[in-house]
């Protein structure tokens, strides 16, 4: 299982990358999550401008196995979405940490980012 060291993780199996020098984060689902889901066939795009509290559901991912909610790892406002997922939802499977990102969020409370799991803690979660 691929767990990049430079990312942060939520207990709900989202990865989070902070853009250098900003309060913006990019969010996607982890390799563990995409493997558990199976083949992704549809991603419901969140709306740009939506304000979220940490743990709010902000989108759904449909796979051949199930429909899963995706949760906001931090509070903030959605400022961008990955429109490529409209036509290529399988990017969540083939490139979860790259082209398979879901949304960018402008954080309203940056301390929430620091509370997310590092790679070692996330690996322990998935193995436990």
């Amino acid at each position: 299982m691929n767990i990049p060291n430079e990312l942060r993780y939520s207990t709900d199996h989202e990865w989070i990358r902070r853009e250098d020098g900003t309060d913006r984060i990019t969010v996607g689902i982890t390799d563990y999550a995409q493997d558990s889901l199976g083949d992704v066939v549809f991603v419901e795009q969140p709306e740009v401008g939506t304000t979220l509290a940490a743990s709010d559901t902000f989108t759904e991912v449909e796979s051949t196995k199930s429909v899963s909610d995706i949760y906001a790892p931090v509070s903030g406002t959605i400022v961008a979405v990955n429109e490529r997922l409209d036509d290529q939802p399988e990017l969540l499977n083939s490139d979860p940490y790259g082209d398979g990102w879901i949304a960018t969020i402008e954080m309203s409370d940056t301390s929430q980012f620091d509370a997310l799991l590092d790679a070692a803690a996330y690996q322990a979660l998935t193995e436990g």
Side-chain angles (χ1 to χ4, degrees):
M1 179 176 32
N2 184 12
I3 304 174
N5 285 327
E6 69 275 10
L7 302 176
R8 293 291 183 125
Y9 301 87
S10 74
T11 57
D12 296 312
H13 306 290
E14 289 92 21
W15 60 263
I16 300 91
R17 177 178 32 247
R18 189 168 185 175
E19 296 180 21
D20 289 338
T22 73
D23 291 340
R24 290 184 176 197
I25 60 158
T26 300
V27 180
I29 63 169
T30 64
D31 188 38
Y32 177 89
Q34 71 80 23
D35 185 58
S36 298
L37 283 170
D39 293 335
V40 175
V41 295
F42 178 75
V43 178
E44 180 184 317
Q45 289 287 8
E47 275 196 49
V48 171
T50 302
T51 300
L52 305 164
S55 299
D56 281 355
T57 299
F58 74 96
T59 193
E60 287 182 344
V61 172
E62 184 178 335
S63 72
T64 55
K65 292 182 181 180
S66 67
V67 175
S68 298
D69 290 333
I70 306 299
Y71 301 97
V74 298
S75 299
T77 302
I78 296 174
V79 295
V81 297
N82 185 355
E83 294 179 3
R84 289 182 64 191
L85 297 177
D86 289 338
D87 296 323
Q88 296 177 286
E90 67 276 3
L91 287 171
L92 291 182
N93 295 117
S94 64
D95 194 11
Y97 299 115
D99 289 337
W101 65 277
I102 296 171
T104 301
I105 299 171
E106 180 86 31
M107 294 184 287
S108 58
D109 180 356
T110 57
S111 69
Q112 292 173 334
F113 177 82
D114 297 326
L116 294 166
L117 303 174
D118 63 13
Y122 183 70
Q123 183 167 355
L125 173 76
T126 60
E127 291 174 351

